[in-house]
Amino acid sequence: AQSVTQPDIHITVSEGASLELRCNYSYGATPYLFWYVQSPGQGLQLLLKYFSGDTLVQGIKGFEAEFKRSQSSFNLRKPSVHWSDAAEYFCAVGAWAGNNRKLIWGLGTSLAVNP
Amino acid sequence: GAGVSQSPSNKVTEKGKDVELRCDPISGHTALYWYRQSLGQGLEFLIYFQGNSAPDKSGLPSDRFSAERTGGSVSTLTIQRTQQEDSAVYLCASSLAIAGATLNTGELFFGEGSRLTVL
């Protein structure tokens, strides 16, 4: 069955420090992978996605993620965190059939940023 | 509209009452999704609409839950005889689905959600 695991429920980093949020997936075919961010009081916003091609993908707000098929991982990274990055981050895999773009979600990682 | 709009943003109801949650997707988006976000449960898929039909209802938790979409636009999620375990944030998303386009990115655009509290 398709599933997404985000091993870290909560992470705290200092502003300016580097960040890596982990995501592991289980999917039978080539996965379509996504990272979304949910800031307090706001809807989910797409940070980046992987469909095919270059396994290192760049997203908005200075985020990047690397798809590693051998490890079934799609970890999100940022070299220098800003206080405004404090939010909930969700990894998802696309369980697509036809035009149905259903997503299977991880439970999320809550990021806190210390000044 | 400019984005996905959901109403009400907050709803408090008593156990046993019926509630209706509304979603107004981005204009022109043919695909619409309902998800439920519960504390500790993450996001659960509920139902997918393509136009006015719902090819995938597999996530609806019980027959107390139903949804409809009219005019290929606005959708309403109805929960009958609400229970305390229905308390959650209900999220709506829409996307531009292109028939036959297997590489359609189909990015989902989410509303801010409707927070339902059942007392």
Side-chain angles (χ1 to χ4, degrees), chain A residues 100-111:
Chain A
N100 186 350
R101 298 292 183 260
K102 180 166 65 177
L103 296 176
I104 308 298
W105 299 81
L107 294 183
T109 297
S110 177
L111 174 66

Side-chain angles (χ1 to χ4, degrees), chain B:
Chain B
V4 178
S5 177
Q6 291 189 246
S7 61
S9 55
N10 268 290
K11 175 72 176 179
V12 180
T13 190
E14 294 179 348
K15 178 181 171 181
K17 301 282 189 183
D18 297 352
V19 297
E20 283 190 354
L21 307 177
R22 175 189 168 104
C23 172
D24 199 345
I26 293 172
S27 178
H29 280 193
T30 55
L32 185 146
Y33 303 78
W34 283 99
Y35 285 85
R36 178 168 72 174
Q37 186 176 23
S38 306
L39 199 60
Q41 299 293 320
L43 285 105
E44 303 171 72
F45 167 82
L46 298 179
I47 187 169
Y48 154 66
F49 284 94
Q50 180 61 38
N52 290 335
S53 66
D56 188 347
K57 305 178 184 179
S58 61
L60 294 178
S62 75
D63 59 8
R64 296 187 295 104
F65 287 72
S66 63
E68 65 174 13
R69 189 179 185 194
T70 54
S73 180
V74 172
S75 175
T76 303
L77 177 69
T78 301
I79 309 173
Q80 295 178 310
R81 305 180 302 282
T82 52
Q83 304 294 312
Q84 288 182 332
E85 61 262 29
D86 300 334
S87 296
V89 177
Y90 290 82
L91 293 167
C92 177
S94 68
S95 75
L96 183 62
I98 302 171
T102 57
L103 291 182
N104 173 23
T105 66
E107 177 181 344
L108 299 189
F109 294 84
F110 285 84
E112 294 185 14
S114 293
R115 180 177 297 279
L116 174 65
T117 302
V118 182
L119 302 177

